[in-house]
Amino acid sequence: MTARIIDGNALSSEVRGQLAERAAALIAKGVTPCLAVILVGEDPASAVYVRNKVAACEKAGMRSLKDVYAPDVDPAVVFKRIAELNADPTVHGILVQLPLPKHFDAEAVLEAIAPEKDVDGFHAENVGALMQGNPRFIPCTPYGVMKMLESAKVPLKGAEVVIVGRSNIVGKPMAMLLLAQSCTVTICHSQSKDLAFHTRRADILVAAVGRAKMITGDMIKPGATVIDVGINRIADGPNAGKLCGDVDFETAKEVAGAITPVPGGVGPMTITMLLANTLEAAERTAK
Ligand code: NDP
């Protein structure tokens, strides 16, 4: 059996087309959706993510602002800029690219963003709202995964879901969203005993770890839906430098019923849902 591919690029371009139409309608009313992105430091992956986010905004007809700071910048400078952006009515979404340099208190930075502009959904107030089942902004990666499951018509009610990874950015919000859809959710992490025991039970398996190809075909239930959030760079061998997921795609696709590839899976959907959140924030101000 070869799994059906859940194509994140195709779904992204469909959703981004819809978002561009909504953005145009809002612009016609005099409100141009605007995302402000703050990048601190010179991490090459972060620089690529920020570039892609800004480019996606512009392609969808939205405005973007980009502030780039040296790795040793005084955090007070960044806090001051966040305060300015919070107060600027023409800015609807603010995101600070993570990770931040070690001399920053990342939590304090995220809390400094006005909750109604926190399009990443990482502010404690927004995390709480998600937990209560009444989200203001859904964190972009789990939001993208939900869209992919919906478009692939994967049944959720009563499904056994196993999420590998418990970060605030992916694993935990993913669990909340699937729980809200009446899945039975298990969250695994680095201290989980016998990971394969859990993953083999999953109707839907979400891998969000950051370890290349750690989920192999023998860890997957036949016919399961496999969502690979991981983005890893292959260290050596003939494919050195290329991207791969947390799932060993070659063996997994022979067992799974449906699977997301890396690249071209969850990654593009994450940026798409960032645009969706920014647009949503702008639409709220226009009501
Ligand atoms: P974190 O490093 O914050 O979390 C990784 C999680 O994996 C932790 O909960 C950790 O457990 C768990 N883990 C580590 N090793 C193991 C193991 N051997 N067995 C089981 N669990 C393990 O990562 P993120 O959640 O931020 O990101 C995860 C991956 O997703 C990365 O590859 C990242 O690049 C990618 N990513 C992709 C996005 C996209 O758009 N596609 C967006 C965001 C992230 P513990 O808590 O015990 O340490």
Side-chain angles (χ1 to χ4, degrees):
M1 187 172 76
T2 300
R4 181 162 58 105
I5 304 296
I6 306 177
D7 183 342
N9 282 329
L11 181 59
S12 260
S13 52
E14 186 189 321
V15 176
R16 285 188 203 190
Q18 295 159 2
L19 295 175
E21 280 176 25
R22 271 169 58 192
L26 199 58
I27 291 166
K29 287 194 205 162
V31 178
T32 302
C34 176
L35 173 69
V37 183
I38 292 177
L39 172 64
V40 184
E42 290 157 353
D43 175 50
S46 293
V48 172
Y49 291 143
V50 165
R51 203 166 56 227
N52 290 344
K53 287 169 184 176
V54 167
C57 260
E58 279 157 18
K59 209 165 164 211
M62 303 186 197
R63 200 162 72 93
S64 64
L65 302 174
K66 184 169 110 175
D67 288 281
V68 181
Y69 297 99
D72 59 352
V73 67
D74 182 346
V77 173
V78 175
F79 279 107
K80 182 167 172 281
R81 180 61 180 147
I82 292 173
E84 281 167 13
L85 294 167
N86 283 343
D88 183 343
T90 69
V91 171
H92 306 100
I94 303 169
L95 84 78
V96 177
Q97 184 66 42
L98 300 175
L100 284 163
K102 290 212 163 32
H103 68 289
F104 273 79
D105 176 349
E107 209 172 299
V109 171
L110 297 179
E111 296 307 300
I113 297 171
E116 64 278 9
K117 297 190 180 186
D118 167 40
V119 283
D120 260 340
F122 296 157
H123 191 288
E125 194 177 305
N126 291 329
V127 174
L130 176 68
M131 182 105 181
Q132 288 178 327
N134 188 23
R136 181 196 265 135
F137 292 113
I138 300 173
C140 304
T141 300
Y143 195 0
V145 171
M146 294 307 288
K147 284 276 171 204
M148 295 176 99
L149 292 171
E150 185 190 319
S151 85
K153 300 192 167 51
V154 177
L156 298 181
K157 201 171 173 183
E160 286 289 339
V161 173
V162 174
I163 300 167
V164 190
R166 58 175 164 180
S167 71
N168 290 337
I169 294 172
V170 188
K172 285 185 202 163
M174 188 79 257
M176 284 302 134
L177 293 172
L178 289 163
L179 192 58
Q181 295 304 315
S182 299
C183 298
T184 303
V185 181
T186 303
I187 309 177
C188 298
H189 45 78
S190 67
Q191 306 306 308
S192 297
K193 288 180 188 142
D194 197 354
L195 183 63
F197 163 78
H198 296 286
T199 59
R200 279 191 204 116
R201 290 189 305 107
D203 300 316
I204 301 170
L205 175 59
V206 181
V209 180
R211 284 178 172 243
K213 303 186 185 192
M214 72 167 284
I215 307 283
T216 45
D218 59 317
M219 298 169 74
I220 294 169
K221 177 176 171 178
T225 298
V226 177
I227 305 289
D228 191 355
V229 177
I231 300 178
N232 309 290
R233 219 163 263 288
I234 299 171
D236 39 37
N239 292 322
K242 289 197 175 155
L243 294 183
C244 75
D246 290 342
V247 175
D248 179 30
F249 187 80
E250 290 309 314
T251 57
K253 78 177 193 320
E254 299 306 321
V255 187
I259 189 166
T260 64
V262 178
V266 177
M269 285 305 292
T270 295
I271 296 187
T272 300
M273 301 331 288
L274 173 66
L275 300 181
N277 280 347
T278 304
L279 181 59
E280 178 81 32
E283 286 172 342
R284 284 175 196 155
T285 67
K287 273 179 190 156

